[in-house]
Amino acid sequence: MSGPYQRQSLELRSPQENGSADDSAGSRLRHLSGTSASQRRRQQRVAQQRQDSWFRHSMPPAINRDFESLEHLTPRVSDGLDEQLAASVSQSVHSGGSVTLCGRPDQSSIHLNSANSNLGFIDSDTPNTPVTPTSGQQPAASVSTSVAGTLSSNRRSGNRKDSKGSILSRQSGRSRVSVLAQRGLQMTASFLRRKRAEYEDDEDFTSSAGYDPDDGERRVIHLNAPQSTKYCNNRITTAKYSVISFLPAFLFEQFRRYSNCFFLLIAILQQIPDVSPTGRYTTLVPLMFILSVSAIKEIIEDIKRHRADNEINHRLIERLDSGTWTTVRWAELTVGDIIKVTINSFFPADLIILSSSEPQAMCFIETANLDGETNLKIRQGVSATAGLLETKDLMRLEGRIECELPNRHLYEFNGVLKETGKQTVPLGNDQVLQRGAMLRNTAWIFGVVVYSGQETKLMKNSTSAPLKRSTVDKLTNTQILMLFMILISLCITSGLCNLFWTREHSVTDWYLGLVDFKSLSLGYNLLTFFILYNNLIPISLQVTLELVRFLQAIFINYDIEMYHEESNTPAMARTSNLNEELGMVKYIFSDKTGTLTQNVMEFKKCSIAGIAYAPENTPEQSQLVQNILSRHQTAGVIEEFLVLLSVCHTVIPERRDNGTIIYHAASPDERALVEGAHKFGYIFDTRTPEYVEINALGVRKRYEVLNVLEFTSSRKRMSLIVRTPEGKIKLFCKGADTVIYERLAPQGQAYREETLRHLEEFASDGLRTLCLAVTDIRADVYQEWRETYHRAATALQNRESKLEDAANLIEINLRLLGATAIEDRLQDGVPETIASLLDAGIYIWVLTGDKQETAINIGYSCRLISHSMDILILNEESLDATREVIHRHYGEFKSSTAKDANVALVIDGTTLKYALSCDLRNDFQDLCLLCRVVVCCRVSPMQKAEVVEMVTQSTKAVTLAIGDGANDVAMIQKANVGIGISGVEGLQAACASDYSIAQFRYLQRLLLVHGAWNYARISKLILYSFYKNVCLYVIELWFAVYSGWSGQILFERWTIGLYNVVFTAMPPFAMGLFEKFCTAETMLRYPMLYKTSQNAKLFNVKVFWVWIFNALLHSAFLFWIPLCAYTSDVIWHDGKTTDYLLLGNLVYTYVIVTVCLKAGLITNSWTWLTHLAIWGSIVLWFTFLLIYSHIWPTFKIASNFRGMDIQLLSTPIFYFGLMLVPITTLLVDVICKLVHNTVFKTLTEAVRETEIRRSDISEVMNEPRSSDSGYGYACGKLFNSNKTLIKPRRLCKKAKHLLPVTLEETNLRVVNLELETDTEEEQRSRQRQKWRAGMLSAVEDRYSTVRRASLPTQATLHM
């Protein structure tokens, strides 16, 4: 077959030949003996990785996983474990398997072809192929088995230890099955020997702290002795600046912006003598003002940080110094200090707990400051230090702690405690007390500092989130570069014109002195015009945007409609740079549990021994308890099931004064399972580090806890090894059905099919399911496995993978007990929110770790998936199968006439892994984008991030990711906008997000109201800022025609500098804060209004340059109309005559009035602050004119401005022009606006007008109108925005000429709506939005009464 896993043949040699091969391999490595141990190990690992790379890539993923489980196996696996695994081989023989091993005792070499197997080179799509002897003879025996991963040849006899021998078989003559299996698996012997040798070598130096001493990849902490290395103190600082670093750091931060660098360059050029036409300080002073405003803001914020830091650093703690306890500040602590922390106190640094006031060095902590979880967590010191209860005991402590270097992994810690003369003890996360956590319900603890100050895990995780820039910002920067290129062109053109004009007039106009070097120098002229035209780029734009966005974020924070009263959680904007991005979201990627659901679990049902049960009001009323009491044939299984529920967990019980028990759990699922057992009379009420106690229907039982194999996202299961009251050792395991079923023993599958059927029923009800299984472990097997587990637990290198491998060894031969079903209810308002977001044209993808059936049914419940949709499920186990099904479905969709398939695509994590590979990524992406809904199930956190990144990069659309847990952080940071929900799982997602909300339903208001408003506000602010600058400063270009291209300015120099920062600064602020085109209620009621901002209709390249052209036109009117009015000279009573400055101030006044009126013309929402900003700016200019005209000679500035107010205000022409010029200039704008609102009225404008008239907006939604481009909303004639219904009468009229039957006899199904005047791309986008809005489902719901059994007739309506 085709594909990466092609049929192969591998020759398997005899043990003797394998031994010689090993000897030759060993000789090739002996030449490394002259090198250091660390170098030899590194070279061996590199060589091995190269060999293993080919080996691994030759195998399919199933086998790859099997061999990975052997990478770190300890060689000290004894006979008991071998017997247990050999027994599983024997049992598999009788039940059948997936591997065919053939051979005869006298064979020395055989060939193995690819087969469906868990052992060997396999292609999962190839049928079983028997092994054929090399000589062509038929095998004497055939054995089928399905051992998951670890068998090899038996090369030793008796109990002799041999590092090159079998990992699993220690004795010869086990059974005929073992012999045949061992001989058949000779193919892996060489590979396993090499991996084993590597593991032994790894363990050699792992036992000495897990790192090569020469590598320095560890931290050694001496106890009660001076440290060999100087570590940092415990002082922390979260402030950005210090007194010394503020100025350079602040300036560096500010001048990373190109605009500030540009204006700094202009300010420097202005200092060159006789170059600047605007003076030396007209750019420098506004720049200094803007930088000063930013500096003041930074200083205020940083002072708050310094005060908080000082308060923390000056807290007091008791430290053990020379046998006495002294009180010191937190900042004085360092690594190796032994300290005492008392109840309700924060831990000052990352500590290793030595002992506590509770038995067995146990303590309770609260980690709300770290992850937001308020549930108490248990931490326990190791037994070796649990007895250090007095000062003298602590002083006798000698040895060292060896651990990993400081890192940011909150939930991981690898270390060992090496007391002098005692055995090495592993240290893990259960012994770590992290800075920021608080000691609860424990009088005191003794601990030793391992990480201090900036090296603590809390501070390592305090790094800022990745920098995100909005689409509007990126587009603005691009247009600024374009304007800069235009500025350069204008400078070059003006410089050349000056050169030509000077050469022409230098002789005739000799009195002008045009023969000097500077007048004839093109370089000087270019610098002059560069300074003159620099204000085409608004200097105040960045600071205006910063302040406006900051205030917009405050509006979000204080929106009472997004305040969750039950949890006292408001919405929070953690960044203000993306406010407008909220109005452009095209794709939403959502987690399910805790995001769409409440993450408040309730035990609903269970399946035990193939029988389904549900809890009743009391235990006695339930059929389950009745079966136990009546000793039903399944009573033993039921009891084991309930014991597992009440024992296998990490829940902490708290007994209240009234006798009730409150369960504190890190996971809501665990709490629900324990409460479920409680409902059936199995009450968990006592936990100590050594045992747990339960009340089983009135009988107290104690289970000794031997080992806890914790749940991880990769393992998808949790196991607990206990010693029962009868003295037996059992392993209780609960986890996902996929991982439990593959670990079942053949004789432990009695209820397999019944349980599977119940699992499907539970999932179809939208319930979360888990499978429960148990196995008995012999004492000798457990002791040998415990040694293996201990070696893995004490390893500092690859500890997690080694622990997982050790767990895989014991979590086998399970016996299925049953399954549980937990309900996770939808949050309030989720269906309505999703329906509204779909109406707004937003695509919603769900990325979850739940089962497919559960995710699909939740999709139905929240209206993401409609019953009219076809569901396409992709569950493939190989790359080739995934490729084939993606290509097939994609081809079907491409050949269909519909632009958007009415299909929900559901894919699991395994298939997604193949679909995201390089050669399938684009095809999978195209398939997903054709579907209305995409649901990814059983996905890992990294896969979530990959999916988000794929869509973000390929579509260039704005993506939003929303989640509530730590597993959602990766996708939140990959999306353009990240939303965190402050939920039950803590604040990890909220802390990593850009915006945080308490409930999913608040996302509707955040996007449709705040997002759309902020987009419109920021868009108008930016466009208006460029408009007003071009309006004024291009006039200098028009004036250059009359000034001989000399660079002479028309306006007084300080009025040029104050134009942006004073006279026209307030209207942009008013737009950015108070502008809105519709009320919040209207925006929520009609989500279609969101499409204006989503499709970037208000700010794009076309709109930007239309505004620039409009500003150029206005500047021409504002210059030439006053110029024509002042063609005749005027002599005032003081003898002065009209000069260029009078014309300049005349024009300047008209510009300010015009740009302020323009602001009013584009304003939709008028408040008293808007009036103040617009009319106040005009009044401010006239006030300045009156004052500035009389400050000379009191102040030695503006000598040429003295008396300007009298000249300007004493001529009737000024007042006539004050009425005529702004009106004439804006007349074109008014006419265009009138025509647009009459003929090309958009839906948004129509709704706003209806709001003003206080009419019924629903009537407007049905009227035909064109979009911003002239066409788009013509389909409003057929559809409502929020209901998307086809009017019955209109439907009948349009159907009469299309169908020969009446509406009662057929069902008209709208397959495609095409606007023939639109482009192909616009049609595709619009149809996808319409179909996602649920047209078809709404039609079917509305007119279900007139349906008939006949097939619906399909028609395409063209408008």
Side-chain angles (χ1 to χ4, degrees):
M1 63 171 288
S2 61
Y5 307 134
Q6 298 180 357
R7 186 176 295 274
Q8 313 174 32
S9 181
L10 177 69
E11 183 175 348
L12 302 180
R13 302 188 181 277
S14 64
Q16 291 78 10
E17 292 174 332
N18 282 330
S20 61
D22 293 335
D23 294 339
S24 62
S27 64
R28 288 194 297 270
L29 295 176
R30 281 194 288 268
H31 76 279
L32 298 173
S33 58
T35 61
S36 67
S38 61
Q39 291 175 338
R40 183 170 66 254
R41 279 189 292 269
R42 282 193 291 267
Q43 292 175 8
Q44 289 174 345
R45 283 195 292 267
V46 170
Q48 185 58 50
Q49 287 172 0
R50 292 174 180 171
Q51 297 175 12
D52 293 350
S53 177
W54 174 88
F55 190 84
R56 290 285 179 83
H57 288 296
S58 301
M59 296 184 291
I63 298 311
N64 207 345
R65 289 193 299 268
D66 291 335
F67 282 121
E68 284 175 356
S69 67
L70 297 176
E71 289 186 4
H72 307 292
L73 289 180
T74 177
R76 298 181 181 178
V77 182
S78 65
D79 305 339
L81 182 58
D82 292 335
E83 292 171 359
Q84 186 179 8
L85 295 179
S88 69
V89 177
S90 177
Q91 293 157 0
S92 299
V93 169
H94 302 289
S95 61
S98 57
V99 174
T100 303
L101 301 176
C102 304
R104 293 187 310 196
D106 57 342
Q107 282 182 249
S108 62
S109 178
I110 62 174
H111 281 280
L112 177 66
N113 291 327
S114 300
N116 257 340
S117 169
N118 282 337
L119 296 169
F121 298 94
I122 305 173
D123 190 327
S124 59
D125 294 330
T126 307
N128 287 343
T129 306
V131 180
T132 57
T134 305
S135 61
Q137 299 175 357
Q138 294 300 320
S142 177
V143 181
S144 296
T145 184
S146 59
V147 180
T150 58
L151 292 176
S152 64
S153 64
N154 182 9
R155 295 192 58 223
R156 49 181 181 254
S157 61
N159 292 324
R160 182 174 61 89
K161 296 183 178 179
D162 187 351
S163 62
K164 296 184 179 180
S166 168
I167 289 180
L168 300 177
S169 295
R170 293 286 184 131
Q171 297 177 355
S172 62
R174 291 268 189 246
S175 65
R176 178 174 177 80
V177 173
S178 298
V179 173
L180 291 174
Q182 293 158 11
R183 182 176 296 111
L185 292 173
Q186 286 271 343
M187 64 172 191
T188 63
S190 178
F191 173 73
L192 294 178
R193 281 196 295 272
R194 292 197 304 269
K195 298 304 293 183
R196 183 174 195 177
E198 177 186 334
Y199 183 73
E200 288 177 338
D201 185 39
D202 184 30
E203 286 300 311
D204 288 341
F205 71 93
T206 297
S207 63
S208 62
Y211 294 96
D212 192 323
D214 299 332
D215 293 342
E217 297 176 348
R218 60 172 175 153
R219 167 166 289 190
V220 179
I221 304 169
H222 299 281
L223 302 175
N224 286 321
Q227 305 301 322
S228 57
T229 303
K230 183 177 181 180
Y231 299 105
C232 68
N233 59 28
N234 201 41
R235 178 180 296 276
I236 61 104
T237 175
T238 60
K240 294 174 61 177
Y241 311 107
S242 65
V243 175
I244 298 175
S245 68
F246 172 75
L247 189 60
F250 172 76
L251 293 178
F252 174 77
E253 185 70 23
Q254 292 297 317
F255 287 107
R256 291 172 62 184
R257 300 172 178 169
Y258 294 149
S259 57
N260 287 343
C261 292
F262 172 74
F263 291 116
L264 178 63
L265 174 62
I266 298 299
I268 294 174
L269 293 178
Q270 285 182 331
Q271 307 310 309
I272 302 176
D274 302 326
V275 169
S276 174
T278 58
R280 301 178 63 183
Y281 306 106
T282 53
T283 301
L284 184 61
V285 170
L287 180 62
M288 294 295 295
F289 173 77
I290 291 171
L291 294 179
S292 299
V293 171
S294 299
I296 292 172
K297 171 177 167 288
E298 292 287 332
I299 289 173
I300 292 175
E301 291 180 353
D302 217 49
I303 287 177
K304 295 179 181 179
R305 298 189 192 102
H306 276 287
R307 289 176 177 172
D309 292 343
N310 289 334
E311 189 274 330
I312 293 174
N313 290 328
H314 286 76
R315 290 177 180 173
L316 302 179
I317 193 70
E318 290 187 82
R319 180 176 65 185
L320 183 62
D321 286 333
S322 302
T324 59
W325 293 99
T326 59
T327 303
V328 298
R329 295 176 177 175
W330 278 21
E332 299 176 23
L333 294 178
T334 188
V335 173
D337 288 346
I338 296 177
I339 62 174
K340 179 180 180 180
V341 182
T342 56
I343 188 172
N344 296 332
S345 298
F346 288 102
F347 301 114
D350 289 350
L351 313 175
I352 294 294
I353 181 174
L354 299 177
S355 58
S356 72
S357 58
E358 300 295 317
Q360 301 298 322
M362 186 173 64
C363 70
F364 299 93
I365 65 172
E366 181 184 285
T367 59
N369 284 348
L370 297 174
D371 54 20
E373 296 180 7
T374 56
N375 296 319
L376 297 183
K377 297 180 177 61
I378 189 171
R379 294 291 185 266
Q380 181 185 3
V382 295
S383 57
T385 62
L388 306 178
L389 303 179
E390 299 181 6
T391 305
K392 60 181 181 180
D393 299 327
L394 293 173
M395 291 302 300
R396 286 197 296 265
L397 181 63
E398 295 181 357
R400 67 180 187 271
I401 293 175
E402 298 178 355
C403 62
E404 59 192 0
L405 295 178
N407 57 67
R408 59 180 302 181
H409 304 304
L410 282 175
Y411 307 104
E412 298 177 11
F413 179 81
N414 295 329
V416 291
L417 171 63
K418 294 186 175 182
E419 286 191 78
T420 304
K422 295 184 180 180
Q423 183 183 11
T424 300
V425 178
L427 300 175
N429 200 55
D430 287 340
Q431 286 76 50
V432 177
L433 306 174
Q434 296 175 354
R435 178 179 184 133
M438 178 179 284
L439 184 65
R440 295 288 194 185
N441 296 356
T442 307
W444 51 263
I445 64 99
F446 293 143
V448 59
V449 178
V450 289
Y451 303 130
S452 59
Q454 299 295 135
E455 295 180 345
T456 58
K457 292 183 180 291
L458 176 65
M459 299 306 297
K460 287 285 186 181
N461 279 274
S462 64
T463 55
S464 58
L467 178 63
K468 297 181 181 179
R469 295 174 59 195
S470 69
T471 305
V472 171
D473 261 351
K474 296 174 184 176
L475 181 58
T476 301
N477 284 342
T478 303
Q479 304 315 309
I480 286 177
L481 291 177
M482 293 297 298
L483 274 180
F484 182 76
M485 300 304 297
I486 293 176
L487 187 150
I488 297 296
S489 302
L490 290 177
C491 292
I492 295 175
T493 302
S494 300
L496 293 175
C497 290
N498 173 266
L499 189 62
F500 297 147
W501 192 93
T502 301
R503 290 180 179 177
E504 183 179 349
H505 294 81
S506 59
V507 178
T508 57
D509 301 335
W510 53 268
Y511 53 87
L512 295 177
L514 301 177
V515 295
D516 61 314
F517 169 76
K518 295 179 181 178
S519 299
L520 298 175
S521 172
L522 180 61
Y524 267 84
N525 291 327
L526 289 178
L527 290 179
T528 298
F529 286 109
F530 189 71
I531 295 172
L532 184 65
Y533 299 144
N534 79 88
N535 287 299
L536 288 176
I537 302 173
I539 190 173
S540 60
L541 178 60
Q542 291 299 330
V543 69
T544 303
L545 283 174
E546 279 191 10
L547 294 177
V548 165
R549 285 169 172 159
F550 175 75
L551 294 174
Q552 287 176 351
I554 293 179
F555 291 165
I556 293 176
N557 296 343
Y558 284 87
D559 189 346
I560 193 65
E561 299 295 332
M562 294 195 295
Y563 170 73
H564 191 239
E565 186 174 2
E566 289 81 357
S567 61
N568 190 28
T569 305
M572 178 176 292
R574 310 183 70 86
T575 179
S576 59
N577 296 332
L578 304 174
N579 292 343
E580 63 273 19
E581 202 83 337
L582 293 171
M584 304 179 68
V585 174
K586 195 75 171 178
Y587 290 89
I588 291 178
F589 301 90
S590 174
D591 179 37
K592 185 188 76 66
T593 305
T595 303
L596 300 179
T597 60
Q598 297 178 5
N599 205 12
V600 177
M601 311 298 181
E602 182 180 356
F603 188 94
K604 283 293 185 181
K605 301 177 182 178
C606 62
S607 171
I608 309 175
I611 304 174
Y613 300 95
E616 303 293 343
N617 295 330
T618 62
E620 293 75 12
Q621 295 176 353
S622 67
Q623 183 63 40
L624 183 148
V625 175
Q626 294 299 323
N627 286 348
I628 295 177
L629 298 178
S630 63
R631 304 313 299 172
H632 187 268
Q633 60 180 355
T634 61
V637 179
I638 296 175
E639 290 175 338
E640 275 193 307
F641 183 94
L642 294 177
V643 168
L644 192 156
L645 279 186
S646 55
V647 170
C648 183
H649 53 76
T650 58
V651 176
I652 301 173
E654 179 185 353
R655 188 178 295 276
R656 296 292 178 87
D657 296 336
N658 58 6
T660 60
I661 299 176
I662 303 298
Y663 295 119
H664 298 279
S667 167
D669 299 76
E670 283 208 322
R671 182 191 298 113
L673 293 175
V674 175
E675 291 173 347
H678 192 288
K679 294 178 181 179
F680 291 118
Y682 276 64
I683 303 172
F684 162 68
D685 56 12
T686 304
R687 172 181 292 280
T688 71
E690 305 297 332
Y691 61 86
V692 294
E693 286 188 358
I694 62 173
N695 184 341
L697 296 176
V699 180
R700 294 204 62 81
K701 294 184 178 181
R702 173 179 293 188
Y703 290 84
E704 181 184 354
V705 177
L706 301 179
N707 294 93
V708 179
L709 308 180
E710 297 181 350
F711 174 89
T712 64
S713 57
S714 59
R715 281 169 40 80
K716 297 182 181 179
R717 64 189 182 277
M718 176 208 173
S719 297
L720 188 74
I721 302 177
V722 300
R723 192 184 305 276
T724 66
E726 296 79 17
K728 297 181 179 179
I729 298 178
K730 288 192 175 185
L731 180 140
F732 294 136
C733 185
K734 63 181 180 182
D737 54 350
T738 54
V739 297
I740 297 297
Y741 268 57
E742 67 185 12
R743 286 166 173 78
L744 295 178
Q747 75 277 14
Q749 305 184 27
Y751 318 110
R752 178 188 181 99
E753 297 304 324
E754 294 86 348
T755 304
L756 190 60
R757 178 170 53 83
H758 287 151
L759 284 171
E760 294 174 353
E761 293 176 0
F762 297 158
S764 64
D765 294 336
L767 303 178
R768 295 165 58 89
T769 59
L770 283 177
C771 281
L772 279 63
V774 66
T775 187
D776 296 318
I777 305 175
R778 283 172 33 194
D780 57 340
V781 173
Y782 172 73
Q783 290 300 326
E784 292 156 1
W785 175 85
R786 185 177 182 179
E787 182 182 351
T788 301
Y789 188 79
H790 177 77
R791 292 177 65 85
T794 54
L796 290 185
Q797 191 176 40
N798 302 320
R799 176 184 291 185
E800 290 76 17
S801 60
K802 292 177 182 179
L803 286 174
E804 184 172 343
D805 294 340
N808 288 335
L809 285 175
I810 201 70
E811 292 172 325
I812 58 175
N813 292 331
L814 302 180
R815 175 164 46 89
L816 183 64
L817 298 178
T820 61
I822 301 173
E823 181 184 31
D824 187 8
R825 295 192 186 94
L826 285 176
Q827 293 182 12
D828 295 337
V830 167
E832 294 79 8
T833 300
I834 288 181
S836 181
L837 295 175
L838 292 175
D839 287 348
I842 299 175
Y843 304 117
I844 301 179
W845 293 25
V846 174
L847 312 178
T848 177
D850 276 347
K851 290 187 61 176
Q852 283 185 347
E853 294 82 0
T854 304
I856 290 172
N857 284 280
I858 291 295
Y860 281 118
S861 302
C862 66
R863 300 183 193 173
L864 181 64
I865 303 176
S866 66
H867 291 282
S868 63
M869 281 186 183
D870 296 325
I871 298 180
L872 174 61
I873 298 179
L874 301 184
N875 285 342
E876 305 300 331
E877 295 296 334
S878 69
L879 180 63
D880 290 332
T882 305
R883 180 187 293 109
E884 189 275 331
V885 72
I886 288 177
H887 287 171
R888 173 161 52 84
H889 289 299
Y890 182 58
E892 293 173 356
F893 291 151
K894 284 183 66 177
S895 62
S896 64
T897 57
K899 298 294 182 181
D900 188 14
N902 188 29
V903 172
L905 174 65
V906 182
I907 184 171
D908 69 344
T910 303
T911 312
L912 184 63
K913 177 181 66 175
Y914 298 122
L916 292 177
S917 59
C918 295
D919 58 338
L920 275 183
R921 190 183 187 93
N922 292 334
D923 295 332
F924 172 67
Q925 162 196 307
D926 294 338
L927 177 62
C928 290
L929 295 181
L930 285 174
C931 298
R932 288 180 58 187
V933 173
V934 177
V935 179
C936 301
C937 309
R938 297 295 195 194
V939 292
S940 65
M942 192 53 62
Q943 285 179 316
K944 290 183 179 182
E946 288 179 0
V947 171
V948 174
E949 185 179 25
M950 176 189 72
V951 177
T952 302
Q953 293 179 351
S954 61
T955 64
K956 305 302 180 184
V958 177
T959 57
L960 180 148
I962 179 170
D964 70 318
N967 59 336
D968 302 316
V969 170
M971 75 169 182
I972 284 174
Q973 294 184 339
K974 284 289 184 183
N976 296 116
V977 181
I979 307 292
I981 290 185
S982 307
V984 177
E985 292 189 20
L987 298 177
Q988 300 98 320
C991 292
S993 65
D994 304 305
Y995 301 87
S996 64
I997 53 179
Q999 295 278 290
F1000 183 84
R1001 67 177 183 269
Y1002 298 144
L1003 184 63
Q1004 179 183 6
R1005 184 175 181 87
L1006 184 65
L1007 297 185
L1008 303 188
V1009 178
H1010 289 283
W1013 282 356
N1014 290 338
Y1015 170 79
R1017 290 166 178 174
I1018 293 296
S1019 297
K1020 286 190 176 182
L1021 187 155
I1022 294 174
L1023 293 171
Y1024 180 77
S1025 296
F1026 281 101
Y1027 160 82
K1028 64 186 180 67
N1029 272 43
V1030 172
C1031 239
L1032 178 72
Y1033 296 114
V1034 170
I1035 291 177
E1036 300 285 4
L1037 176 64
W1038 310 141
F1039 181 65
V1041 176
Y1042 297 93
S1043 65
W1045 303 96
S1046 62
Q1048 172 64 45
I1049 57 174
L1050 179 62
F1051 312 113
E1052 200 276 334
R1053 61 184 57 182
W1054 283 109
T1055 59
I1056 294 176
L1058 297 178
Y1059 177 77
N1060 271 309
V1061 297
V1062 177
F1063 303 130
T1064 59
M1066 289 190 292
F1069 272 107
M1071 291 180 194
L1073 296 177
F1074 309 113
E1075 174 67 3
K1076 58 182 179 181
F1077 46 85
C1078 293
T1079 63
E1081 292 75 16
T1082 302
M1083 297 294 296
L1084 293 174
R1085 185 179 178 188
Y1086 301 101
M1088 182 182 281
L1089 298 174
Y1090 182 77
K1091 294 182 180 180
T1092 301
S1093 61
Q1094 184 189 55
N1095 298 324
K1097 296 293 185 182
L1098 301 182
F1099 187 75
N1100 50 51
V1101 175
K1102 176 184 175 182
V1103 172
F1104 179 85
W1105 289 104
V1106 166
W1107 273 75
I1108 296 298
F1109 177 79
N1110 183 246
L1112 290 172
L1113 184 63
H1114 286 188
S1115 68
F1117 281 120
L1118 291 169
F1119 174 72
W1120 267 292
I1121 294 178
L1123 181 66
C1124 295
Y1126 270 81
T1127 52
S1128 301
D1129 201 358
V1130 177
I1131 301 177
W1132 272 264
H1133 62 86
D1134 57 359
K1136 293 183 177 180
T1137 59
T1138 303
D1139 60 358
Y1140 79 93
L1141 195 57
L1142 179 62
L1143 175 65
N1145 284 287
L1146 192 74
V1147 172
Y1148 193 91
T1149 302
Y1150 296 158
V1151 168
I1152 288 181
V1153 174
T1154 301
V1155 298
C1156 288
L1157 292 178
K1158 174 70 172 179
L1161 187 64
I1162 63 174
T1163 296
N1164 294 323
S1165 178
W1166 285 82
T1167 65
W1168 69 270
L1169 291 171
T1170 308
H1171 285 283
L1172 179 63
I1174 293 176
W1175 309 117
S1177 296
I1178 298 175
V1179 173
L1180 186 62
W1181 159 246
F1182 282 101
T1183 304
F1184 174 82
L1185 176 66
L1186 295 175
I1187 297 174
Y1188 194 61
S1189 298
H1190 299 281
I1191 65 171
W1192 192 88
T1194 305
F1195 300 96
K1196 302 302 181 181
I1197 57 173
S1199 59
N1200 57 350
F1201 212 83
R1202 181 172 175 78
M1204 185 59 64
D1205 57 337
I1206 298 175
Q1207 295 183 29
L1208 197 63
L1209 301 178
S1210 61
T1211 172
I1213 296 178
F1214 169 77
Y1215 297 101
F1216 179 73
L1218 190 61
M1219 298 295 296
L1220 176 65
V1221 175
I1223 293 176
T1224 304
T1225 303
L1226 294 175
L1227 184 61
V1228 177
D1229 297 57
V1230 173
I1231 293 174
C1232 291
K1233 190 176 183 66
L1234 180 64
V1235 172
H1236 185 272
N1237 288 351
T1238 303
V1239 182
F1240 303 103
K1241 183 182 299 182
T1242 65
L1243 181 64
T1244 302
E1245 292 159 348
V1247 170
R1248 187 175 67 84
E1249 292 177 6
T1250 307
E1251 279 189 343
I1252 295 174
R1253 295 195 302 265
R1254 302 183 186 278
S1255 303
D1256 185 8
I1257 298 177
S1258 61
E1259 298 178 359
V1260 179
M1261 306 302 295
N1262 298 322
E1263 295 178 357
R1265 59 182 50 83
S1266 39
S1267 71
D1268 295 337
S1269 61
Y1271 306 101
Y1273 289 106
C1275 55
K1277 191 173 184 178
L1278 289 177
F1279 303 107
N1280 261 339
S1281 169
N1282 63 330
K1283 296 181 181 178
T1284 326
L1285 303 178
I1286 299 180
K1287 296 296 183 182
R1289 294 180 181 178
R1290 296 180 182 177
L1291 182 62
C1292 291
K1293 291 180 180 179
K1294 292 190 175 293
K1296 283 181 180 179
H1297 69 280
L1298 292 174
L1299 302 173
V1301 293
T1302 62
L1303 181 62
E1304 288 75 19
E1305 297 174 351
T1306 186
N1307 178 26
L1308 177 63
R1309 179 182 180 187
V1310 181
V1311 176
N1312 187 24
L1313 290 174
E1314 295 180 358
L1315 303 179
E1316 296 179 347
T1317 52
D1318 284 348
T1319 64
E1320 175 102 32
E1321 181 180 355
E1322 290 171 340
Q1323 289 179 25
R1324 177 187 174 94
S1325 175
R1326 190 167 290 109
Q1327 298 317 312
R1328 293 183 64 173
Q1329 294 169 8
K1330 291 297 180 186
W1331 281 114
R1332 292 194 67 84
M1335 294 178 183
L1336 183 58
S1337 62
V1339 172
E1340 292 179 350
D1341 293 341
R1342 181 74 175 269
Y1343 301 108
S1344 59
T1345 58
V1346 299
R1347 291 183 178 176
R1348 294 293 181 265
S1350 58
L1351 293 176
T1353 301
Q1354 297 185 358
T1356 300
L1357 302 183
H1358 295 271
M1359 296 182 60

